[in-house]
Amino acid sequence: MSDEDLRTAADTVLARLVGAPTARLREDQWRAIEALVAERRRALVVQRTGWGKSAVYFVATALLRERGSGPTVIVSPLLALMRNQVEAAARAGIHARTINSANPEEWETVRAEIAAGAVDVLLVSPERLNNPDFRDNVLPQLTVATGLLVVDEAHCISDWGHDFRPDYRRLRTMLAELPPGVPVLATTATANARVTADVAEQLGTGNTRPDDGSDTGSALVLRGPLDRSSLSLGVLTLPDAAHRLGWLSEHLDALPGSGIVYALTVAAAEEVTAHLRQQGHTVASYTGKTENADRQQAEEDLLANRVKALVATSALGMGFDKPDLGFVVHLGSPASPIAYYQQVGRAGRGVEHAEVLLLPGREDEAIWQYFASLAFPPEQQVRRTLEVLAEADRPLSLPALEPLVDLRRNRLETMLKVLDVDGAVRRVKGGWTSTGRPWAYDAERYAWVNRQRSAEQEAMREYARTTGCRMEFLRRQLDDETAAPCGRCDNCAGARFEVEVSGSALESARGELQRPGAEVEPRRMWPTGLAAVGIGLKGRIPAGELASTGRALGRLSDIGWGNRLRPMLAPHAPDGPVPDDVAGAVVDVLADWARGPGGWASGAPDAAARPVGVVTVPSLGRPQLIGSLAHRISEVGRIPLLGSLVYAPGHETTHVPRSNSAQRLKALDGALTVPSELALAVKRAEGPVLLVDDRTETGWTLAVAARLLRRAGATEVLPLVLAVPG
């Protein structure tokens, strides 16, 4: 087939894909397709959101399949985008299927369809690549059969990038094992020069010609300008969270079409959703905690414009394809201008004008610091994990590893994935094993990545305060050499929105944010593997030793009480008596708790008994805060202050690590005790007691304290804390 005939065939497929008979590929799109189909090359396409990267791989797929090639495999982290892609492929007569965490019941059927040659496109989530069964039994067959490999959101491959995902690095193995001449396409809208070079280098792995096996050289890189002519960027600097929430509620209907409101945490997203609904707005929440069915419904509602906005965390992120999305608003600033560019890029793809607004908040920095704390661990912790795996006589699961290493579950799992890619460990059925291969801790690289994160955070601060063009600023952060003033942003063309908020909107927002109270769910099961650290606890916590569902004043991650509590409970914050506003709000929480369903003042037939006493958890860092809070509760509620648990001899300086559950329990084992005078008071009181602490992170201190008090005679233990993580 001549180049001219191939171009005509490609345009025909595109017309079917977009449903427009006169549609034609742009020259840069055609160049990518020509490289894949005619030249069987490996290509990296770095182009702005909305450029048409999916058109390239769907058109290439159709042409390659007509030539007898195997199915296209698309690796993508975006479940929402996967659903969009399946529908888009169908329009071009391409049969697409997915294998991801949301459809395990379909995996066997999909595998059978692939074997029968009935699947043109298989979309795979990156975590599948290192699932032992998929990696060992499916991936080898798929690698041999693949006609085109597509790596979507390819910046995730590089740990120099803002969104590195260890699972993606497993692609390096697949690239090396692809048969000669299988084309590869990597796509992203958010790669600076360093990430682009890193990904292009990795694409070269195993890159040989089908005829003579010779090296084809470096990957073809097609990088275009990153301007988005439809986007009007702006920043609104408002005094506090109430002003930001009030402004959003008052101006949401004035924003064009339907769109996305991003929040930095799940708690904030839920808080914003609740308030906007109360104010009459039709919105839906979309977070990492949203059930899959509810996510799909939210996506469908936004696509059909049945909601004004999705209030989302980065769980929605880059993975949503709605060409007529009219606005993106951020309540809180992402930590990276590259991540910000990616998220706002969902707007304005099929409309002439879309509004993009950033409303930064003072809680942003604390949230950045939290996510930064999840970085690759220090060498000592990594070596300890490798030693434990090397000494084990069987694979160790994450729950089995936790008691033996001082790392939280998520951080431990991410570290193991990196070590797996580096060849030091291997994931198998039943857990993780050591390979015994030598491994070096690349301190220089990890330090550089941390410095890069700090530089990105500073860039986001600069973006918010710059007086220059905001689109040009973002493009320069992505090393776009063609960056120039856009003429559309608030600094180029003038602000399009006032920052004033009406008194009524501000009052409503303050009412929402100042509403205190969050439930504290008790621990009901001891963590597995405690025997490995000498603790004889396992299984369910007996009913007679359980804490009850408790209450907290607020979540540290929300934009209401979280902003008040974070500085007060920061690690180096000074101790002191509980502030009056905080004490008053805690009293409100108690009153609401008492009057609520099943509360002791509810009048319900099965209402809980009224607390007969207040007990405190001992604190090494905030004894005045906790003591004064307990005293105020006792005084206002007319509930006797029975006393405090104490640290056992030798444990007076016990530090409970902010680590995984097993390590926390190891530190707590034998550390707390009920003094005889408190035990006598609890026994004489014959009823429920309020257990007061400043905060709870995992619930294990409360669980251990409740167990001791229940054994001392308390009929029920009701935890009451100032803050939970959220």
Side-chain angles (χ1 to χ4, degrees):
M1 182 182 291
S2 68
D3 287 350
E4 185 176 342
D5 290 340
L6 186 63
R7 177 70 183 264
T8 300
D11 285 335
T12 301
V13 176
L14 178 71
R16 291 202 309 266
L17 182 68
V18 300
T22 59
R24 296 294 182 269
L25 291 161
R26 296 192 303 271
E27 283 305 313
D28 47 7
Q29 290 176 312
W30 162 243
R31 178 66 190 106
I33 292 169
E34 182 183 40
L36 297 171
V37 178
E39 302 167 10
R40 303 296 179 99
R41 290 191 65 180
R42 296 185 177 188
L44 169 60
V45 171
V46 183
Q47 299 282 0
R48 69 184 185 280
T49 307
W51 173 85
K53 295 183 283 290
S54 61
V56 169
Y57 51 71
F58 280 139
V59 171
T61 293
L63 298 176
L64 287 167
R65 291 289 279 167
E66 287 175 1
R67 294 179 168 203
S69 293
T72 291
V73 176
I74 302 175
V75 181
S76 171
L78 314 172
L79 297 187
L81 194 57
M82 282 188 184
R83 289 187 276 270
N84 295 151
Q85 300 283 38
V86 170
E87 295 169 4
R91 292 196 295 270
I94 296 170
H95 182 52
R97 296 300 305 268
T98 67
I99 291 180
N100 58 64
S101 59
N103 70 338
E105 70 285 350
E106 299 177 11
W107 293 352
E108 286 302 320
T109 301
V110 173
R111 288 169 64 171
E113 290 179 2
I114 294 170
V119 174
D120 299 312
V121 171
L122 176 67
L123 292 113
V124 182
S125 55
E127 70 269 14
R128 287 297 99 204
L129 298 175
N130 205 29
N131 172 275
D133 180 60
F134 187 89
R135 182 196 64 211
D136 297 336
N137 300 318
V138 180
L139 192 57
Q141 301 171 16
L142 203 57
T143 300
V144 172
T146 296
L148 168 66
L149 174 64
V150 177
V151 183
D152 199 18
E153 308 302 342
H155 58 274
C156 297
I157 294 176
S158 175
D159 59 4
W160 303 111
H162 75 281
D163 194 23
F164 169 60
R165 304 190 185 194
D167 287 313
Y168 254 79
R169 294 293 292 272
R170 183 56 51 192
L171 282 166
R172 196 179 188 96
T173 303
M174 188 173 181
L175 286 167
E177 295 175 355
L178 281 175
V182 174
V184 178
L185 173 66
T187 69
T188 181
T190 51
N192 59 19
R194 179 151 199 163
V195 172
T196 297
D198 188 21
V199 175
E201 180 184 357
Q202 294 190 49
L203 283 181
T205 304
N207 190 11
T208 55
R209 295 185 186 278
D211 48 0
D212 59 8
S214 61
D215 189 350
T216 63
S218 60
L220 172 68
V221 178
L222 299 173
R223 186 181 174 96
L226 299 178
D227 188 25
R228 292 289 308 282
S229 60
S230 63
L231 300 185
S232 296
L233 306 180
V235 175
L236 296 176
T237 303
L238 295 160
D240 54 33
H243 279 82
R244 286 184 289 136
L245 188 56
W247 187 95
L248 179 63
S249 177
E250 199 161 45
H251 292 83
L252 186 60
D253 286 337
L255 295 173
S258 55
I260 301 170
V261 176
Y262 279 109
L264 297 186
T265 67
V266 172
E270 292 175 346
E271 203 170 21
V272 171
T273 301
H275 179 68
L276 291 178
R277 285 175 173 170
Q278 288 168 4
Q279 299 305 304
H281 297 290
T282 307
V283 296
S285 180
Y286 192 113
T287 74
K289 292 186 177 179
T290 305
E291 293 291 337
N292 187 56
D294 293 332
R295 284 193 184 196
Q296 291 192 47
Q297 185 62 57
E299 293 166 18
E300 292 169 6
D301 288 344
L302 184 61
L303 287 169
N305 296 315
R306 291 191 291 265
V307 294
K308 180 66 178 178
L310 293 189
V311 183
T313 62
S314 58
L316 182 66
M318 46 204 169
F320 195 79
D321 187 13
K322 178 177 167 62
D324 63 339
L325 201 73
F327 64 89
V328 170
V329 176
H330 278 77
L331 283 184
S333 175
S336 161
I338 302 174
Y340 183 64
Y341 175 87
Q342 187 175 58
Q343 290 179 348
V344 303
R346 307 322 302 175
R349 299 176 62 182
V351 293
E352 292 185 1
H353 174 78
E355 292 289 349
V356 172
L357 294 169
L358 173 65
L359 282 64
R362 63 190 177 101
E363 72 274 8
D364 299 348
E365 303 263 345
I367 295 168
W368 296 350
Q369 290 172 10
Y370 168 74
F371 287 113
S373 72
L374 303 179
F376 199 72
E379 182 171 7
Q380 182 180 1
Q381 291 178 311
V382 182
R383 294 290 179 195
R384 171 59 183 162
T385 306
L386 290 172
E387 288 171 6
V388 168
L389 289 173
E391 294 168 359
D393 57 2
R394 58 184 173 81
L396 294 180
S397 64
L398 289 173
L401 264 173
E402 277 186 314
L404 306 172
V405 297
D406 190 12
L407 286 167
R408 295 186 186 184
R409 175 75 61 90
N410 289 344
R411 199 177 184 196
L412 174 60
E413 183 175 23
T414 300
M415 181 194 74
L416 288 168
K417 287 178 178 179
V418 173
L419 293 175
D420 190 353
V421 170
D422 291 345
V425 304
R426 180 173 173 81
R427 187 181 174 195
V428 298
K429 287 186 177 180
W432 298 84
T433 62
S434 170
T435 64
R437 291 171 55 183
W439 178 82
Y441 187 89
D442 194 346
E444 183 177 348
R445 186 179 184 90
Y446 302 140
W448 191 97
V449 170
N450 287 335
R451 290 195 299 272
Q452 183 70 6
R453 299 290 185 267
S454 297
E456 289 175 349
Q457 292 174 8
E458 179 55 34
M460 277 311 297
R461 298 184 193 101
E462 187 178 345
Y463 173 81
R465 63 179 179 250
T466 186
T467 57
C469 174
R470 298 195 195 277
M471 179 58 79
E472 181 182 14
F473 182 95
L474 292 178
R475 291 173 67 187
R476 291 197 183 282
Q477 289 294 312
L478 282 154
D479 297 322
D480 183 353
E481 296 178 357
T482 66
C486 69
R488 303 177 304 274
C489 71
D490 56 352
N491 287 338
C492 287
R496 293 173 303 284
F497 295 94
E498 300 292 334
V499 296
E500 284 75 18
V501 181
S502 70
S504 59
L506 185 58
E507 183 179 356
S508 296
R510 281 180 175 153
E512 173 66 31
L513 296 178
Q514 292 174 0
R515 183 177 294 115
E519 285 196 348
V520 178
E521 283 295 324
R523 287 289 189 171
R524 303 183 188 278
M525 296 278 294
W526 297 114
T528 58
L530 289 179
V533 290
I535 301 176
L537 298 172
K538 63 180 180 179
R540 289 190 174 277
I541 301 175
E545 298 179 359
L546 273 175
S548 298
T549 300
R551 294 292 186 278
L553 173 55
R555 297 181 178 91
L556 290 174
S557 59
D558 67 30
I559 59 176
W561 276 104
N563 279 340
R564 179 72 177 91
L565 294 170
R566 270 192 304 273
M568 190 169 73
L569 300 179
H572 302 294
D575 187 25
V578 62
D580 288 341
D581 63 325
V582 173
V586 170
V587 171
D588 290 342
V589 170
L590 274 170
D592 183 64
W593 191 2
R595 293 190 298 266
W600 53 91
S602 64
D606 57 347
R610 186 177 189 274
V612 296
V614 179
V615 177
T616 61
V617 175
S619 174
L620 299 175
R622 299 189 184 91
Q624 290 186 62
L625 178 65
I626 296 174
S628 62
L629 176 61
H631 180 77
R632 293 285 288 275
I633 293 170
S634 171
E635 186 178 61
V636 174
R638 297 179 182 178
I639 306 172
L641 182 57
L642 302 181
S644 175
L645 284 84
V646 299
Y647 285 105
H651 292 272
E652 293 85 355
T653 58
T654 291
H655 169 68
V656 180
R658 293 184 176 181
S659 182
N660 60 61
S661 294
Q663 290 293 318
R664 292 181 76 91
L665 278 168
K666 180 181 177 182
L668 286 166
D669 186 38
L672 293 177
T673 184
V674 181
S676 56
E677 60 273 18
L678 175 59
L680 184 60
V682 167
K683 189 173 183 179
R684 285 176 174 172
E686 295 182 344
V689 297
L690 284 172
L691 178 62
V692 178
D693 202 355
D694 56 349
R695 63 188 289 179
T696 181
E697 290 192 34
T698 64
W700 288 118
T701 299
L702 295 177
V704 170
R707 180 172 183 255
L708 292 171
L709 290 170
R710 295 293 301 272
R711 287 184 160 193
T715 60
E716 195 174 358
V717 175
L718 308 169
L720 178 66
V721 297
L722 293 178
V724 291

